[in-house]
């Protein structure tokens, strides 16, 4: 009898991946993993295939990742080993089929409850592009940028699940003469990012770069929607607020950080020596640059393919920086990488860059030109990374459709 892995594995969703999602099907909400086009109820599978300890069994019986995040890396690793063995066993196709449904039969929920949220700015190309547009009379990068991962503490209450509609935000918009006008954003944008969710309970607040993989549970697609006009008027001197806090979308599937070992690459060469707490050489477990290729889909047309491998700062460095001042780390804490952009126009991860601030409209395949998002448009992010055994790892989709501003 064939294994479930042999029967169901498909490109991007094989044994090397086995990501997690919170799904609803047949009026039930549960924690699931995915093998090919089958969405597996993990708790239901555990009833059919023994091997999980009591703590992990209890965690996977929850409707999302919250209890598993709190359980810590020992239980994450146990669960992953058990899942791989459970879908790879010779007779596993029968119990896996009994505990699963087709992917088309599920609706997605937030995979975890966001606690605190930090958004970074880790792409040198993106930071330089935005600097040139927002501060044309200054150097594109501020002096601190290559010495620490620049970020800000964001709003977790409006982090939403993939598929949630995005209502166009309102705020104060800059106008010639310096007097702002209140209204709906006219420069609504995306930020194609990767997100990372943390868990466990560090013994002390400061998590080192070498310890970080024990506390980063997984990675997911992340769209940090941005109202560039609201942002432009408000961001000096304290940074983004209303231009960012209205919505940020988490992808449907969370890929275990442990699944990304085969995607590790060296980050770009650092121009300056970095502080010891950010060092990621061999003694710290080596660098965690990631070979992830994204695509930005606008209403069915791919308009960009950003590459994460060009990011200057890595996830462990970002987590270490989050905690170096003594800030606590809780299960569900998450951080975004910042917009992923490369040196070529085809690798830019925002419409601000793709249209160069609206001055160079993007031409779509139907001949239409666009700068920023219009009501009714849908943006979908996807991504692939190399996985163990030559497999590919898919992050599924991260999608949202723009609705008109309230009162319109």
């Amino acid at each position: 009898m064939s294994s479930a892995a042999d029967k169901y594995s498909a490109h991007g969703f094989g044994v090397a991946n086995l990501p997690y999602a919170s799904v609803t099907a047949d009026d039930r909400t549960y924690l699931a993993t995915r093998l090919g086009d089958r969405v597996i109820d993990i708790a239901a599978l555990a009833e059919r295939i023994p091997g999980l300890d009591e703590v992990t069994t209890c965690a996977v019986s929850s409707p999302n990742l919250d209890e598993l995040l709190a359980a810590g890396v020992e239980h994450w690793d146990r669960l992953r080993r058990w899942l791989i063995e459970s879908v790879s066993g010779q007779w596993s196709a029968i119990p896996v089929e009994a505990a699963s449904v087709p992917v088309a039969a599920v609706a997605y929920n937030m995979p975890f409850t966001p606690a605190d949220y930090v958004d970074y700015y880790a792409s040198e190309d993106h930071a330089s592009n935005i600097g040139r547009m927002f501060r044309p009379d200054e150097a594109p990068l501020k002096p601190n940028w290559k010495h620490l991962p620049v970020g800000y503490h964001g709003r977790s209450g409006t982090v939403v699940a993939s598929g949630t509609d995005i209502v166009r935000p309102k705020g104060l918009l800059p106008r010639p003469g310096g007097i702002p006008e209140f209204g709906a954003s006219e420069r609504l944008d995306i930020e194609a990012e990767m997100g990372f969710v943390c868990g466990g309970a560090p013994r002390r607040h400061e998590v080192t770069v070498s310890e970080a993989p024990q506390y980063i549970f997984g990675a997911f697609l992340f769209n940090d929607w941005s109202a560039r006009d609201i942002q432009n008027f408000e961001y000096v001197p304290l940074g983004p607020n209303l231009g960012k806090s209205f919505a940020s979308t988490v992808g449907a599937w969370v890929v275990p950080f442990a699944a990304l070992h085969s995607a590790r690459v060296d980050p770009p060469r650092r121009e300056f020596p970095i502080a010891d707490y950010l060092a990621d050489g061999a003694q710290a477990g080596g660098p965690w640059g990631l070979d992830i290729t994204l695509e930005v889909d606008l209403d069915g047309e791919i308009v960009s393919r950003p590459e994460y491998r060009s990011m200057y700062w890595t996830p462990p460095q970002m987590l270490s920086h989050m905690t170096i001042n003594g800030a606590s780390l809780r299960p569900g804490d998450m951080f975004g990488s910042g917009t992923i952009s490369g040196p070529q126009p085809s690798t830019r991860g925002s419409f601000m860059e793709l249209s160069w601030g609206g001055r160079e409209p993007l031409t779509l395949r139907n001949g239409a030109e666009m700068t920023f998002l219009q009501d009714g448009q849908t943006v979908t992010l996807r991504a692939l990374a190399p996985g163990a055994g030559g497999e590919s790892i898919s992050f599924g989709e991260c999608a949202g459709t723009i609705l008109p501003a309230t009162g319109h």
Side-chain angles (χ1 to χ4, degrees):
M1 183 66 179
S2 64
S3 70
D6 291 335
K7 185 174 181 179
Y8 294 120
S9 291
H11 178 66
F13 291 104
V15 176
N17 192 351
L18 297 176
Y20 300 101
S22 172
V23 304
T24 299
D26 297 326
D27 297 323
R28 290 182 54 248
T29 298
Y30 52 88
L31 182 64
T33 189
R34 180 171 172 180
L35 183 67
D37 288 333
R38 303 297 295 185
V39 176
I40 305 168
D41 181 336
I42 301 175
L45 187 64
E47 293 176 357
R48 293 166 171 83
I49 301 178
L52 283 183
D53 62 280
E54 184 178 353
V55 172
T56 310
T57 299
C58 181
V60 300
S61 299
S62 299
N64 59 23
L65 283 167
D66 289 357
E67 290 197 28
L68 187 60
L69 294 177
V73 66
E74 177 184 349
H75 296 281
W76 308 345
D77 290 346
R78 285 182 184 176
L79 175 59
R80 181 162 176 78
R81 287 194 299 269
W82 174 83
L83 281 173
I84 291 172
E85 293 169 359
S86 294
V87 302
S88 302
Q90 185 176 5
W91 297 93
S92 59
I94 293 173
V96 166
E97 182 173 3
S100 65
V101 296
V103 67
V106 304
Y108 295 104
N109 313 296
M110 269 297 298
F112 57 90
T113 302
D116 280 310
Y117 158 43
V118 172
D119 194 38
Y120 281 103
Y121 199 42
S123 165
E124 181 175 1
D125 290 296
H126 173 70
S128 298
N129 288 340
I130 295 298
R132 292 185 183 101
M133 285 183 271
F134 275 30
R135 303 182 302 275
D137 299 326
E138 303 177 27
L141 294 180
K142 291 294 185 180
N144 63 351
W145 196 90
K146 290 194 173 179
H147 295 278
L148 56 79
V150 173
Y152 70 94
H153 191 257
R155 176 178 168 84
S156 61
T158 46
V159 175
V160 298
S162 179
T164 304
D165 292 333
I166 306 301
V167 177
R168 182 177 297 274
K170 296 181 292 189
L172 292 178
L173 316 178
R175 291 291 186 256
I179 304 301
E181 178 181 341
F182 177 78
S185 173
E186 298 164 352
R187 295 164 73 88
L188 184 56
D189 199 1
I190 66 164
E191 291 197 342
E193 306 189 19
M194 293 302 301
F196 303 89
V197 62
C198 302
R203 293 186 301 276
R204 54 190 177 82
H205 287 321
E206 297 174 19
V207 176
T208 67
V209 169
S210 60
E211 293 170 335
Q214 300 175 45
Y215 300 104
I216 302 176
F217 173 83
F220 50 88
L221 288 163
F222 190 56
N223 187 346
D224 191 27
W225 307 88
S226 299
R228 299 298 185 185
D229 37 13
I230 297 173
Q231 177 187 358
N232 188 36
F233 189 74
E234 75 180 359
Y235 87 107
V236 177
L238 291 182
N241 187 12
L242 300 186
K244 298 280 191 175
S245 63
F246 58 97
S248 301
T249 302
V250 166
W253 292 97
V254 178
V255 171
F257 206 56
L260 296 176
H261 277 273
S262 295
R264 290 177 67 173
V265 293
D266 289 333
R269 184 183 66 84
R270 274 70 180 258
E271 184 176 350
F272 302 103
I274 55 180
D276 288 345
Y277 80 93
L278 292 170
D280 60 351
Q283 289 185 332
W288 265 94
L290 292 171
D291 183 13
I292 303 173
T293 300
L294 288 79
E295 61 181 31
V296 179
D297 179 317
L298 176 70
D299 291 336
E301 177 178 353
I302 307 302
V303 296
S304 177
R305 286 187 168 87
E307 296 183 352
Y308 191 88
R309 65 182 302 142
S310 67
M311 301 296 268
Y312 197 86
W313 300 103
T314 69
Q317 288 175 316
M318 289 186 262
L319 177 54
S320 179
H321 186 68
M322 278 171 57
T323 61
I324 192 61
N325 68 340
S328 61
L329 186 70
R330 298 178 295 166
D333 282 353
M334 56 172 282
F335 58 94
S337 64
T339 305
I340 305 162
S341 289
Q344 304 301 322
S346 61
T347 58
R348 294 171 181 168
S350 70
F351 288 104
M352 182 77 175
E353 296 166 275
L354 286 167
S355 71
W356 204 252
R359 294 188 291 274
E360 301 173 8
L362 178 69
T363 302
L364 303 177
R365 64 187 175 199
N366 63 2
E369 292 186 339
M370 73 161 291
T371 52
F372 296 94
L373 291 168
Q374 302 299 310
D375 293 346
Q377 290 184 313
T378 298
V379 176
T380 304
L381 306 181
R382 303 183 188 90
L384 287 173
E391 293 186 33
S392 292
I393 289 177
S394 173
F395 290 81
E397 294 188 343
C398 177
T401 298
I402 307 303
L403 299 184
T406 56
H408 287 63

